[in-house]
Amino acid sequence: DDFNACYDILVKEIQLVTPKLIVALGNNVSDYLSSKQLTNIKIVKIPHPASILYTGKSLDEYILNFKKLCSNV
């Protein structure tokens, strides 16, 4: 499983950077990170950019997600 193979490396990177916020692009990543014990880190889920192509969502709606994210940081 790709997530499990890279998880230890990801944890080390998170420990080095010590972010307050992680923006997870897509369901798979956000679900995986949410299931882990990452203390004092807020995980925000937004759709993966490819979802514009697959779901027919507009680019304007996608940009609005980023604007909402920036206004809450």
Side-chain angles (χ1 to χ4, degrees), residues 20-31:
K20 294 179 183 176
L21 173 72
I22 294 176
V23 178
L25 299 177
N27 292 328
N28 293 336
V29 173
S30 63
D31 292 346

Side-chain angles (χ1 to χ4, degrees), residues 4 7 10 15 21 25 29 32 42 45 53 58 67:
N4 289 324
Y7 183 70
L10 178 62
Q15 289 171 342
L21 173 72
L25 299 177
V29 173
Y32 187 80
K42 182 177 181 180
K45 173 179 145 180
L53 299 173
S58 72
K67 287 182 180 180

Side-chain angles (χ1 to χ4, degrees), residues 19-72:
K20 294 179 183 176
L21 173 72
I22 294 176
V23 178
L25 299 177
N27 292 328
N28 293 336
V29 173
S30 63
D31 292 346
Y32 187 80
L33 289 175
S34 295
S35 72
K36 300 301 178 183
Q37 299 284 334
L38 300 174
T39 57
N40 299 323
I41 300 173
K42 182 177 181 180
I43 299 171
V44 176
K45 173 179 145 180
I46 62 173
H48 190 281
S51 69
I52 297 169
L53 299 173
Y54 298 120
T55 65
K57 289 184 178 178
S58 72
L59 180 58
D60 291 336
E61 183 180 345
Y62 193 76
I63 291 171
L64 183 63
N65 283 328
F66 276 102
K67 287 182 180 180
K68 287 179 185 176
L69 173 66
C70 291
S71 68
N72 290 322

